[in-house]
Amino acid sequence: MTVSRRDFMKNSVLGAVAAGVGVPGMDAHPQAENAGRGHASEGDTRRPTIICAHNGYAYVEAAYASLKNGADTLDVGIQVVKGPEDDPNDDSVGLGGLPNEEGVVELDACCMHGPTRRAGAVGGVRNIKNVSMVSKAVFHNTGHVMLVGEGAERFAVAVGFPRENLLTDRSRKIWLLWKEFNSDRDWWGPGIADPSWRPPGEQPKPQAELWRDRIEHLRHRAADLGIEPEFQMAAVRRVLFPPTGTIHCSVLSEKGEMSGITTTSGLAFKLPGRVGDSPIIGAGCYTDQDVGSAGATGSGEENIKVAGAHTIVENMRRGMVPQDAAMDALKRIVRNYNGDMTRLRYMDMTYYVLRKDGTYAGVSLWEGYSSGHPHTFVVHDGRLRSETATPLLKGFSQEWPPHPTVPEELKKNSEYLK
Ligand code: ASP
């Protein structure tokens, strides 16, 4: 695809206008300061290239070596995401993923193989660890694109994946702690999108001392449940801020072949049967061999509604550079809430984008989560590195479900934020 700089400019402006993405309450955002990040100049290609979510870092160097040695782009993507899937200490993916509200781990994944233009997906899969590989097996071994639930599990077993218990002892104990702490709350509606939703009422500012007691109580319960001392505060944090987490990886080979893959245990403590964006082709992942590849981590419900990954690839097809293409998808999320920052604070989204010429971008709705950690992503185009995602909005999101405000003075002094 050859697009002149002038076409880029023209199409970016027209694209934004056509999308009607004027965002109330949003002034100059940091996007402008970072425009140019990851941009290869015209004619300059950076192949091969891998881009993935931060939790893939440890696995990218070896995968890049495979890519250089001519491995298939989807197999390279699987090599990256299989790392967190196999790691019992990564509680956002595969083995050890945090379970649903009934304490059962349910996994989602999808992939697209650019060179053969095939796609596979699985949703709500229990007892099978490497759902990334199962998603590939769906297009490899069947005429279907997507299998879910019990059928997907039976298919995985039929093609040779072992059934195993995915709930590690630690994840089970964190779930128990969550059950105790949230016994009067759940994931039932009204959700943020419901017209009757109201932000939590102004509550009397909790005393730092009350919080300290609450955290200490949770920490003691974590100890009673047998969670190892070094993980007790992390467990408390997961109960107070139920995490999201996923890994996406997009891969471009020297030959210009591309693939994308996304795998997750989804939202922690979700309703049984809930499927997010990760296994939805066009939302959690989309790859078009002619254009590029994109993937997502974050608030799945929001990403499904803007078909995020597909929107980004189509924006690139129309000439937008990766960063603008992804910012446009984020603006569609903002537009879905008419720019209502009170609601938008309760969601977040990170997009990973790789164009066919090796130009890439990592963008996020907010700078990071409430804990103050910025969103980062991993790139390898000959040099492995971690980069900070470019945020659309200044500030940090609160995670969903709503959690009580932790007084600043406590945050400053507590190991709670570690
Ligand atoms: N997008 C995932 C989901 O909604 C969660 C995440 O990426 O953190 O299931």
Side-chain angles (χ1 to χ4, degrees), residues 108 244-246 264-267 274 276-278 296-301 369:
D108 305 326
T244 55
T246 293
T264 190
S265 55
L267 223 45
R274 177 267 188 190
D277 60 327
S278 306
T297 61
S299 307
E301 280 72 5
Y369 289 119

Side-chain angles (χ1 to χ4, degrees), residues 203-222:
Q203 292 174 3
K205 199 173 179 207
Q207 300 293 318
E209 220 165 290
L210 286 179
W211 263 99
R212 204 168 290 126
D213 288 351
R214 194 170 296 175
I215 291 170
E216 271 314 298
H217 168 75
L218 275 170
R219 198 197 336 220
H220 280 129
R221 282 299 300 141

